[in-house]
Amino acid sequence: MPRLDSVLTLLVAIGLLLASVAGMADDKAASRDALRQMRKETLEQLYKENPQARNQIRSAAGFGVFEVAGVHILFVGGSGGRGVVKDNLTGRDTYMNMGAVAGGLGVGFQDTRTVLIFKKRKVLKDFLEQGWTFGGDARAIAQVEGKGGSVGELETPEGIIVYQLTKAGLSVKATVQGTKFWRDPDLNTK
């Protein structure tokens, strides 16, 4: 069984690689514009699939939207991406990277969008200042339609609501285990 620090190192490496490949040709302003456009399109899709998400976002401390690409080959998989987090109080956008590792048998490629809704100001502030790691032991409560939420919605014990969307719509299975988020040092500078 790999040690947690080895897994996190791999996670960061995958995230940096995928984020840097995605942004190589873009300058900073174009990258920021592309992330804001991705956020707009993702939220439009989310509101169409789950109208209650609009009120969740309006009443939250803030929210983040991430584009995620991943590959899974045999027993190891990883994904990486980037996104933008909006503080609803200040209106400020913070640009971030993310990476994830996965285990288990499988082969495939995934292209998803992840929406994080921060119910509490302290959780949003910690996320923005320190980044966030959802470890292998992170517990989340999946919400099932008709029983407290909607399909594709998940809530962490810290009060972060998570939606994962695919091109086909809301994902039935949302997960954040083994995922690390951190500030993009390039996009957050002028």
Side-chain angles (χ1 to χ4, degrees):
M1 182 96 184
R3 291 181 7 176
L4 183 58
D5 58 341
S6 299
V7 171
L8 290 177
T9 301
L10 177 61
L11 178 86
V12 169
I14 290 169
L16 287 173
L17 177 65
L18 290 172
S20 67
V21 169
M24 269 195 236
D26 295 348
D27 66 351
K28 290 179 187 180
S31 292
R32 288 184 197 111
D33 288 343
L35 287 171
R36 286 190 299 266
Q37 181 63 31
M38 178 273 304
R39 173 177 64 195
K40 179 180 181 259
E41 291 169 1
T42 301
L43 291 178
E44 287 171 358
Q45 180 186 0
L46 176 61
Y47 298 157
K48 183 178 176 185
E49 297 286 328
N50 186 349
Q52 81 173 7
R54 183 183 308 269
N55 289 332
Q56 290 173 325
I57 287 175
R58 283 182 182 156
S59 64
F63 65 97
V65 180
F66 292 83
E67 57 184 356
V68 184
V71 175
H72 197 110
I73 301 172
L74 296 178
F75 294 100
V76 178
S79 61
R82 55 191 191 156
V84 58
V85 176
K86 184 169 195 93
D87 182 322
N88 281 344
L89 181 64
T90 66
R92 182 173 181 196
D93 286 334
T94 302
Y95 301 91
M96 302 189 78
N97 295 316
M98 61 83 55
V101 293
L105 184 61
V107 175
F109 176 79
Q110 86 180 69
D111 179 13
T112 61
R113 302 292 181 262
T114 300
V115 179
L116 304 175
I117 303 171
F118 301 91
K119 294 167 73 174
K120 300 175 185 173
R121 183 115 194 105
K122 181 182 179 345
V123 175
L124 171 66
K125 186 177 176 187
D126 290 348
F127 185 90
L128 292 174
E129 290 177 1
Q130 302 162 12
W132 197 271
T133 301
F134 292 101
D137 62 346
R139 292 183 333 252
I141 304 157
Q143 303 289 326
V144 178
E145 195 166 14
K147 299 197 181 201
S150 66
V151 173
E153 178 183 330
L154 168 130
E155 185 171 336
T156 70
E158 299 82 11
I160 302 172
I161 298 171
V162 180
Y163 289 99
Q164 287 184 331
L165 295 97
T166 65
K167 290 182 181 182
L170 278 171
S171 174
V172 174
K173 177 184 167 192
T175 181
V176 290
Q177 291 185 347
T179 304
K180 179 170 180 61
F181 297 86
W182 67 96
R183 282 179 178 257
D184 185 309
D186 296 323
L187 295 184
N188 287 301
T189 59
K190 298 290 177 195

PDB file of all heavy atoms in Angstrom, residues 42 45 48-49 68 109-113 164-171:
ATOM      1  N   THR A  42     -20.745  25.725 -17.542  1.00  0.00           N
ATOM      2  CA  THR A  42     -20.987  24.640 -16.587  1.00  0.00           C
ATOM      3  C   THR A  42     -22.178  24.960 -15.693  1.00  0.00           C
ATOM      4  O   THR A  42     -23.033  24.105 -15.452  1.00  0.00           O
ATOM      5  CB  THR A  42     -19.727  24.379 -15.745  1.00  0.00           C
ATOM      6  OG1 THR A  42     -18.645  24.037 -16.624  1.00  0.00           O
ATOM      7  CG2 THR A  42     -19.961  23.257 -14.743  1.00  0.00           C
ATOM      8  N   GLN A  45     -25.429  24.502 -17.508  1.00  0.00           N
ATOM      9  CA  GLN A  45     -25.772  23.089 -17.596  1.00  0.00           C
ATOM     10  C   GLN A  45     -26.287  22.576 -16.250  1.00  0.00           C
ATOM     11  O   GLN A  45     -27.288  21.862 -16.189  1.00  0.00           O
ATOM     12  CB  GLN A  45     -24.560  22.257 -18.037  1.00  0.00           C
ATOM     13  CG  GLN A  45     -24.862  20.768 -18.149  1.00  0.00           C
ATOM     14  CD  GLN A  45     -23.636  19.922 -18.450  1.00  0.00           C
ATOM     15  OE1 GLN A  45     -22.519  20.424 -18.577  1.00  0.00           O
ATOM     16  NE2 GLN A  45     -23.841  18.620 -18.560  1.00  0.00           N
ATOM     17  N   LYS A  48     -29.788  23.786 -15.516  1.00  0.00           N
ATOM     18  CA  LYS A  48     -30.757  23.082 -16.359  1.00  0.00           C
ATOM     19  C   LYS A  48     -31.051  21.696 -15.784  1.00  0.00           C
ATOM     20  O   LYS A  48     -32.198  21.254 -15.749  1.00  0.00           O
ATOM     21  CB  LYS A  48     -30.203  22.964 -17.781  1.00  0.00           C
ATOM     22  CG  LYS A  48     -31.147  22.306 -18.756  1.00  0.00           C
ATOM     23  CD  LYS A  48     -30.525  22.271 -20.140  1.00  0.00           C
ATOM     24  CE  LYS A  48     -31.422  21.526 -21.101  1.00  0.00           C
ATOM     25  NZ  LYS A  48     -30.800  21.374 -22.414  1.00  0.00           N
ATOM     26  N   GLU A  49     -30.001  21.008 -15.330  1.00  0.00           N
ATOM     27  CA  GLU A  49     -30.139  19.652 -14.788  1.00  0.00           C
ATOM     28  C   GLU A  49     -30.720  19.655 -13.376  1.00  0.00           C
ATOM     29  O   GLU A  49     -31.425  18.728 -12.988  1.00  0.00           O
ATOM     30  CB  GLU A  49     -28.774  18.944 -14.757  1.00  0.00           C
ATOM     31  CG  GLU A  49     -28.143  18.736 -16.106  1.00  0.00           C
ATOM     32  CD  GLU A  49     -28.808  17.656 -16.906  1.00  0.00           C
ATOM     33  OE1 GLU A  49     -29.311  16.677 -16.316  1.00  0.00           O
ATOM     34  OE2 GLU A  49     -28.838  17.783 -18.142  1.00  0.00           O
ATOM     35  N   VAL A  68     -12.016  19.021 -15.497  1.00  0.00           N
ATOM     36  CA  VAL A  68     -11.178  17.903 -15.077  1.00  0.00           C
ATOM     37  C   VAL A  68     -11.057  16.900 -16.219  1.00  0.00           C
ATOM     38  O   VAL A  68     -12.063  16.482 -16.791  1.00  0.00           O
ATOM     39  CB  VAL A  68     -11.791  17.189 -13.841  1.00  0.00           C
ATOM     40  CG1 VAL A  68     -10.873  16.088 -13.351  1.00  0.00           C
ATOM     41  CG2 VAL A  68     -12.104  18.186 -12.736  1.00  0.00           C
ATOM     42  N   PHE A 109     -11.047   7.198 -20.216  1.00  0.00           N
ATOM     43  CA  PHE A 109     -10.750   8.621 -20.179  1.00  0.00           C
ATOM     44  C   PHE A 109     -11.999   9.336 -19.704  1.00  0.00           C
ATOM     45  O   PHE A 109     -13.103   8.975 -20.099  1.00  0.00           O
ATOM     46  CB  PHE A 109     -10.369   9.127 -21.581  1.00  0.00           C
ATOM     47  CG  PHE A 109     -10.150  10.611 -21.631  1.00  0.00           C
ATOM     48  CD1 PHE A 109      -8.968  11.167 -21.184  1.00  0.00           C
ATOM     49  CD2 PHE A 109     -11.148  11.452 -22.104  1.00  0.00           C
ATOM     50  CE1 PHE A 109      -8.778  12.536 -21.215  1.00  0.00           C
ATOM     51  CE2 PHE A 109     -10.966  12.822 -22.140  1.00  0.00           C
ATOM     52  CZ  PHE A 109      -9.769  13.364 -21.696  1.00  0.00           C
ATOM     53  N   GLN A 110     -11.840  10.318 -18.851  1.00  0.00           N
ATOM     54  CA  GLN A 110     -12.999  11.062 -18.388  1.00  0.00           C
ATOM     55  C   GLN A 110     -12.782  12.551 -18.598  1.00  0.00           C
ATOM     56  O   GLN A 110     -11.675  13.056 -18.495  1.00  0.00           O
ATOM     57  CB  GLN A 110     -13.310  10.766 -16.916  1.00  0.00           C
ATOM     58  CG  GLN A 110     -12.540  11.627 -15.926  1.00  0.00           C
ATOM     59  CD  GLN A 110     -12.874  11.303 -14.505  1.00  0.00           C
ATOM     60  OE1 GLN A 110     -12.532  10.239 -14.040  1.00  0.00           O
ATOM     61  NE2 GLN A 110     -13.500  12.213 -13.801  1.00  0.00           N
ATOM     62  N   ASP A 111     -13.846  13.235 -18.937  1.00  0.00           N
ATOM     63  CA  ASP A 111     -13.849  14.683 -19.100  1.00  0.00           C
ATOM     64  C   ASP A 111     -15.065  15.173 -18.336  1.00  0.00           C
ATOM     65  O   ASP A 111     -16.195  14.956 -18.766  1.00  0.00           O
ATOM     66  CB  ASP A 111     -13.936  15.047 -20.584  1.00  0.00           C
ATOM     67  CG  ASP A 111     -13.960  16.544 -20.820  1.00  0.00           C
ATOM     68  OD1 ASP A 111     -13.672  17.308 -19.881  1.00  0.00           O
ATOM     69  OD2 ASP A 111     -14.281  16.953 -21.945  1.00  0.00           O
ATOM     70  N   THR A 112     -14.840  15.760 -17.178  1.00  0.00           N
ATOM     71  CA  THR A 112     -15.949  16.181 -16.332  1.00  0.00           C
ATOM     72  C   THR A 112     -15.766  17.627 -15.892  1.00  0.00           C
ATOM     73  O   THR A 112     -14.691  18.211 -16.054  1.00  0.00           O
ATOM     74  CB  THR A 112     -16.075  15.305 -15.066  1.00  0.00           C
ATOM     75  OG1 THR A 112     -14.883  15.435 -14.302  1.00  0.00           O
ATOM     76  CG2 THR A 112     -16.333  13.867 -15.399  1.00  0.00           C
ATOM     77  N   ARG A 113     -16.806  18.164 -15.335  1.00  0.00           N
ATOM     78  CA  ARG A 113     -16.781  19.470 -14.680  1.00  0.00           C
ATOM     79  C   ARG A 113     -17.234  19.233 -13.250  1.00  0.00           C
ATOM     80  O   ARG A 113     -18.199  18.504 -13.008  1.00  0.00           O
ATOM     81  CB  ARG A 113     -17.734  20.466 -15.352  1.00  0.00           C
ATOM     82  CG  ARG A 113     -17.453  20.713 -16.828  1.00  0.00           C
ATOM     83  CD  ARG A 113     -16.133  21.450 -17.028  1.00  0.00           C
ATOM     84  NE  ARG A 113     -15.879  21.707 -18.440  1.00  0.00           N
ATOM     85  CZ  ARG A 113     -15.099  20.953 -19.204  1.00  0.00           C
ATOM     86  NH1 ARG A 113     -14.533  19.881 -18.703  1.00  0.00           N
ATOM     87  NH2 ARG A 113     -14.886  21.264 -20.455  1.00  0.00           N
ATOM     88  N   GLN A 164     -20.799  16.763  -9.951  1.00  0.00           N
ATOM     89  CA  GLN A 164     -19.943  16.419 -11.076  1.00  0.00           C
ATOM     90  C   GLN A 164     -20.828  16.254 -12.297  1.00  0.00           C
ATOM     91  O   GLN A 164     -21.843  15.566 -12.245  1.00  0.00           O
ATOM     92  CB  GLN A 164     -19.138  15.153 -10.803  1.00  0.00           C
ATOM     93  CG  GLN A 164     -18.027  15.403  -9.802  1.00  0.00           C
ATOM     94  CD  GLN A 164     -17.148  14.188  -9.577  1.00  0.00           C
ATOM     95  OE1 GLN A 164     -17.587  13.053  -9.700  1.00  0.00           O
ATOM     96  NE2 GLN A 164     -15.901  14.437  -9.227  1.00  0.00           N
ATOM     97  N   LEU A 165     -20.436  16.924 -13.372  1.00  0.00           N
ATOM     98  CA  LEU A 165     -21.198  16.887 -14.607  1.00  0.00           C
ATOM     99  C   LEU A 165     -20.342  16.302 -15.723  1.00  0.00           C
ATOM    100  O   LEU A 165     -19.142  16.529 -15.783  1.00  0.00           O
ATOM    101  CB  LEU A 165     -21.629  18.300 -15.014  1.00  0.00           C
ATOM    102  CG  LEU A 165     -22.590  18.989 -14.065  1.00  0.00           C
ATOM    103  CD1 LEU A 165     -21.842  19.907 -13.131  1.00  0.00           C
ATOM    104  CD2 LEU A 165     -23.606  19.763 -14.842  1.00  0.00           C
ATOM    105  N   THR A 166     -21.003  15.547 -16.583  1.00  0.00           N
ATOM    106  CA  THR A 166     -20.383  15.055 -17.807  1.00  0.00           C
ATOM    107  C   THR A 166     -21.115  15.722 -18.964  1.00  0.00           C
ATOM    108  O   THR A 166     -22.086  16.446 -18.760  1.00  0.00           O
ATOM    109  CB  THR A 166     -20.527  13.520 -17.920  1.00  0.00           C
ATOM    110  OG1 THR A 166     -21.918  13.211 -18.060  1.00  0.00           O
ATOM    111  CG2 THR A 166     -19.959  12.820 -16.698  1.00  0.00           C
ATOM    112  N   LYS A 167     -20.672  15.462 -20.162  1.00  0.00           N
ATOM    113  CA  LYS A 167     -21.380  16.024 -21.325  1.00  0.00           C
ATOM    114  C   LYS A 167     -22.819  15.535 -21.388  1.00  0.00           C
ATOM    115  O   LYS A 167     -23.687  16.197 -21.910  1.00  0.00           O
ATOM    116  CB  LYS A 167     -20.631  15.676 -22.609  1.00  0.00           C
ATOM    117  CG  LYS A 167     -19.321  16.410 -22.712  1.00  0.00           C
ATOM    118  CD  LYS A 167     -18.592  16.108 -23.992  1.00  0.00           C
ATOM    119  CE  LYS A 167     -17.280  16.867 -23.983  1.00  0.00           C
ATOM    120  NZ  LYS A 167     -16.513  16.679 -25.178  1.00  0.00           N
ATOM    121  N   ALA A 168     -23.066  14.361 -20.789  1.00  0.00           N
ATOM    122  CA  ALA A 168     -24.416  13.794 -20.802  1.00  0.00           C
ATOM    123  C   ALA A 168     -25.296  14.356 -19.688  1.00  0.00           C
ATOM    124  O   ALA A 168     -26.484  14.118 -19.674  1.00  0.00           O
ATOM    125  CB  ALA A 168     -24.342  12.274 -20.680  1.00  0.00           C
ATOM    126  N   GLY A 169     -24.720  15.103 -18.742  1.00  0.00           N
ATOM    127  CA  GLY A 169     -25.505  15.655 -17.636  1.00  0.00           C
ATOM    128  C   GLY A 169     -24.863  15.373 -16.303  1.00  0.00           C
ATOM    129  O   GLY A 169     -23.667  15.106 -16.218  1.00  0.00           O
ATOM    130  N   LEU A 170     -25.655  15.436 -15.237  1.00  0.00           N
ATOM    131  CA  LEU A 170     -25.141  15.180 -13.896  1.00  0.00           C
ATOM    132  C   LEU A 170     -24.661  13.742 -13.780  1.00  0.00           C
ATOM    133  O   LEU A 170     -25.318  12.823 -14.252  1.00  0.00           O
ATOM    134  CB  LEU A 170     -26.238  15.414 -12.851  1.00  0.00           C
ATOM    135  CG  LEU A 170     -26.471  16.841 -12.410  1.00  0.00           C
ATOM    136  CD1 LEU A 170     -27.727  16.934 -11.561  1.00  0.00           C
ATOM    137  CD2 LEU A 170     -25.293  17.399 -11.659  1.00  0.00           C
ATOM    138  N   SER A 171     -23.527  13.575 -13.156  1.00  0.00           N
ATOM    139  CA  SER A 171     -23.001  12.241 -12.918  1.00  0.00           C
ATOM    140  C   SER A 171     -23.749  11.619 -11.744  1.00  0.00           C
ATOM    141  O   SER A 171     -23.999  12.279 -10.743  1.00  0.00           O
ATOM    142  CB  SER A 171     -21.510  12.328 -12.594  1.00  0.00           C
ATOM    143  OG  SER A 171     -21.005  11.077 -12.238  1.00  0.00           O
TER     144      SER A 171
END
